[in-house]
Amino acid sequence: MNARGSHPDVLIIGAPKAGTSALHGALAKHPQIYASPIKEPKYYMCWDAPPPSYSGPGDAHSNREWIWRRAEYKALFQEAPEGALRLESTPFYLYLPGARRRIAEELPDAKLIIIVRDPIDRAYSNWMHLWVDGLEPIPDFVDAWHAEDSRVAAGWAPFWHYRRLGRYGEQLADLFQLVERERVFVLRYWQLVSHPRETLNRVAHFLGLAEDHVTTIPPDNARPFVEPGLRTSMLGRVIRAGAAAGSYVPPQAWRRASKPLLKLLRHGGSTQRPKLAPEQRTALLGDCLDDIALLEKTLGQSFEDWRSDAGRGSFAERTETAQS
């Protein structure tokens, strides 16, 4: 075991669907980084106890993959070479007050990295992820956004909290009450996607690592979009029922069993995902404005572009723009 202990030195703590997987994948290639073999263990979302009994589609199955036992979490870092920074990435840590407190208490020296993305774009990508996985039962993103309060009240897991996950102002204001600001590095999604070399070097500098060792980020693993309709609705119901039944078998068994269903669901899907119409963004923007203002006050920088009725674009669209 590494003499320095078995805990992370660096955490990517947020936000989901904001490039955390891309950043984790890039940093994992740095020779001075040891990335946990399980990218998203969710350990600090628990308190050495099993995860909550979330009740959304697929939640019970997902809960079985959480690493909540302390010994199992420590084992993730036992193979870290001497001197390497140990990295763990769970993008829900920023969102959950309990996770923020636990990290502050148990990791007083760890450095924290956060990626923020236009909250509506982030939520739309979140909804799209669950929709093309057959788990989201509402085929309209705006309707799903407005269903959030009832879903939270019913005990659905954090990944279903489309609006709340993007309230970075509240989350960061609380985090800065718990940890020193110099231990926190906040970057924007567009910086990572459009200027990966420059952004990765900034992250390396923050971590005290050699620069120019990692200069690109992995490609997006976006699934093809599937249009709403009778076929999609029926297959989604089967997948959601299977996910519920799959909570009683090992997670890998359900993943194998679900592959044919997901392949059938996505058959004929389009890689060109529909964009949100300006009127759709406008209908949701009012729910975000107060938190955008708080974020600007907390970080001392402008996020005026998030107040627009035009989205910033997907990972693929941003990449194409950066390369053109």
Side-chain angles (χ1 to χ4, degrees), residues 90-204:
T90 297
F92 299 99
Y93 289 159
L94 176 66
Y95 172 57
L96 295 173
R100 297 194 295 264
R101 289 195 302 272
R102 188 178 183 195
I103 289 169
E105 292 171 4
E106 297 189 17
L107 301 174
D109 300 315
K111 292 189 174 183
L112 311 177
I113 302 174
I114 297 159
I115 313 175
V116 295
R117 181 182 184 181
D118 177 301
I120 297 176
D121 285 352
R122 192 221 64 80
Y124 185 48
S125 179
N126 194 158
W127 170 85
M128 185 74 71
H129 178 114
L130 291 165
W131 171 253
V132 300
D133 273 359
L135 296 174
E136 171 57 74
I138 299 180
D140 181 81
F141 167 62
V142 174
D143 290 343
W145 173 288
H146 290 308
E148 180 168 320
D149 288 347
S150 61
R151 290 176 167 187
V152 171
W156 290 31
F159 198 41
W160 296 95
H161 303 184
Y162 299 147
R163 171 171 51 84
R164 287 169 171 81
L165 280 167
R167 293 187 66 82
Y168 319 117
E170 294 176 351
Q171 297 158 21
L172 281 166
D174 179 68
L175 180 67
F176 289 149
Q177 296 296 315
L178 303 171
V179 304
E180 303 86 354
R181 290 198 179 207
E182 57 267 24
R183 289 203 287 127
V184 181
F185 186 82
V186 181
L187 61 108
R188 296 184 59 166
Y189 177 72
W190 69 263
Q191 295 171 327
L192 180 65
V193 178
S194 301
H195 305 289
R197 184 188 191 109
E198 173 188 335
T199 303
L200 290 170
N201 278 338
R202 289 173 58 213
V203 173

Side-chain angles (χ1 to χ4, degrees), residues 208-232:
L209 303 177
E211 299 180 18
D212 283 327
H213 277 282
V214 288
T215 57
T216 61
I217 57 176
D220 187 28
N221 60 351
R223 293 90 157 168
F225 175 72
V226 289
E227 292 285 350
L230 179 60
R231 173 179 169 277
T232 304

